[in-house]
Amino acid sequence: MSGVINELGKNRAMTILNDLDLRQLEAFSAVISAGSVTAAAKALNRSQPAVSRLIQELEQSLGYPLFIRNGPRIHPSEEALQLHQYVQKALLSLQQIRLRAQEIAHQQHRPLSIAATPALAAGLLPQALAALNLQNKVQIISESAVNTAHAVITAEADLGLCSLPLEHHAVELHWIGQSQCVVALPENDELAAHTRLSLSSLAGRRLIAPWSPQRLRGRYEKALKKVKTPLQETIETNSSANILGCVRAGLGVAILEPVTGWGMPLAGVVIRPLEEDIPYYFGVITPQGRQISTAAQALVEALADAAAHLLPGFERLPASEHPRIMRLINQD
């Protein structure tokens, strides 16, 4: 009996997929983004009744309401909000296909697509690009480390730049960068007078911390425990730029990866090296088994040159060092 139910579910899902219409999805996305059917109709250059009809047809295909109607106003349902993130990605992918098709037709240079974590995208990548005389259009996708790797695996990006670990078999790791973490503190902090800082000197201060404990945060928390230096965590964020902004506002200090610290100087914030050895590791990856373009290959080397210029004590390590580095990290 369960097999029959599962089969019916599959058939229903296939019916939904077959009934979906691109115009319906575009109308749905436009209404979500614009906030009303009227505004969506203007954005799509369609009539309001036409957009309303497309939404109704999509709801019929899906089998559930996408918008809650209250007189002239509409609000997206919970199902609509869940669906929207996937529709957005699908429409964006379709737009990219259209652009690539046009470029091929006109024999234009293929864009160089780069995926990078926000810190590396803002703190290091621009310096590397500035050193190249690229004829290609450049696209920068700023994502989490996991999504950066995924963009490279799926060939959405020609090149990826993100923190370790990078153990995916579907990517080629070209090199690993190593540089020491730093402390960010307000310029009026008494510790700013020191050229280097120890973790113990931060005792009692409020800490602005990165959101995820799986990467850098977990490692410096272990280091703080070793030197018995408790810090009061006040704000968590997934953005290094947000961390610097909070430090400048006097909300606390931060133990920061060096790319943001040295690559994105912010008035009112001073950066000081740490006495303790807390290295930050990042790598450059491309899709496994795929011949990379001349532009991508040039960028692989330009990134290493930019990192050597930007980051004090930078070391370029071969990809073969990845297992050893991960053992060291896990032993910390």
Side-chain angles (χ1 to χ4, degrees):
M1 182 67 178
S2 61
V4 174
I5 294 175
N6 288 339
E7 190 62 33
L8 288 173
K10 291 179 182 178
N11 291 336
R12 172 60 178 162
M14 289 303 299
T15 300
I16 290 174
L17 289 175
N18 292 333
D19 288 344
L20 290 182
D21 182 280
L22 178 59
R23 294 172 304 164
Q24 296 170 1
L25 297 179
E26 288 177 334
F28 165 67
S29 181
V31 173
I32 290 280
S33 300
S36 72
V37 174
T38 302
K42 290 180 179 179
L44 295 172
N45 197 25
R46 296 177 182 270
S47 68
Q48 182 175 337
V51 172
S52 295
R53 184 172 60 256
L54 289 169
I55 295 297
Q56 291 170 1
E57 291 172 351
L58 179 58
E59 289 177 324
Q60 291 173 1
S61 296
L62 296 174
Y64 52 79
L66 295 171
F67 295 96
I68 301 168
R69 293 157 177 85
N70 183 14
R73 297 184 177 183
I74 61 171
H75 304 281
S77 65
E78 181 62 33
E79 292 83 358
L81 294 175
Q82 294 178 35
L83 179 64
H84 184 236
Q85 59 180 319
Y86 301 106
V87 171
Q88 269 190 315
K89 290 180 180 179
L91 293 177
L92 180 59
S93 296
L94 182 59
Q95 179 63 20
Q96 293 297 315
I97 292 172
R98 288 170 176 163
L99 290 174
R100 296 300 81 77
Q102 292 173 4
E103 287 156 359
I104 292 171
H106 294 91
Q107 295 300 303
Q108 297 173 342
H109 287 286
R110 183 176 182 272
L112 177 60
S113 180
I114 307 159
T117 56
L120 290 162
L124 178 62
L125 181 58
Q127 288 90 325
L129 290 172
L132 300 176
N133 183 25
L134 289 178
Q135 301 300 314
N136 304 63
K137 176 182 176 182
V138 176
Q139 297 175 329
I140 300 174
I141 306 167
S142 185
E143 292 278 12
S144 67
V146 172
N147 287 341
T148 292
H150 183 262
V152 174
I153 292 170
T154 58
E156 179 185 354
D158 301 303
L159 182 145
L161 186 60
C162 64
S163 58
L164 266 59
L166 287 169
E167 299 171 299
H168 308 282
H169 298 297
V171 302
E172 180 179 351
L173 178 59
H174 290 264
W175 53 262
I176 297 168
Q178 174 183 333
S179 185
Q180 295 299 315
C181 290
V182 297
V183 176
L185 60 159
E187 64 179 0
N188 59 358
D189 192 299
E190 60 183 16
L191 291 177
H194 299 264
T195 56
R196 297 178 66 86
L197 294 173
S198 66
L199 289 175
S200 59
S201 68
L202 304 178
R205 279 174 163 73
R206 294 176 297 179
L207 181 68
I208 314 299
W211 187 271
S212 174
Q214 276 75 39
R215 293 182 180 262
L216 181 59
R217 177 175 170 179
R219 292 173 53 214
Y220 76 61
E221 284 181 340
K222 290 180 180 178
L224 287 168
K225 288 181 180 179
K226 286 182 180 179
V227 297
K228 299 180 180 179
T229 303
L231 296 179
Q232 177 186 355
E233 293 182 3
T234 57
I235 296 177
E236 295 177 329
T237 176
N238 64 346
S239 165
S240 295
N242 291 347
I243 290 176
L244 289 182
C246 291
V247 171
R248 180 172 64 178
L251 296 172
V253 301
I255 302 168
L256 197 64
E257 40 74 23
V259 177
T260 298
W262 301 119
M264 296 178 61
L266 186 65
V269 176
V270 297
I271 303 298
R272 296 291 180 262
L274 265 173
E275 290 183 357
E276 284 81 4
D277 181 25
I278 307 180
Y280 171 70
Y281 299 101
F282 62 96
V284 177
I285 56 176
T286 57
Q288 179 69 44
R290 178 179 173 184
Q291 184 176 1
I292 65 175
S293 65
T294 302
Q297 185 60 59
L299 183 56
V300 169
E301 296 305 315
L303 284 163
D305 293 340
H309 178 75
L310 175 70
L311 305 175
F314 170 78
E315 292 185 56
R316 173 175 171 167
L317 306 174
S320 58
E321 287 284 275
H322 190 280
R324 181 187 67 83
I325 291 171
M326 295 311 302
R327 287 195 297 270
L328 289 175
I329 290 176
N330 293 329
Q331 289 172 1
D332 286 346

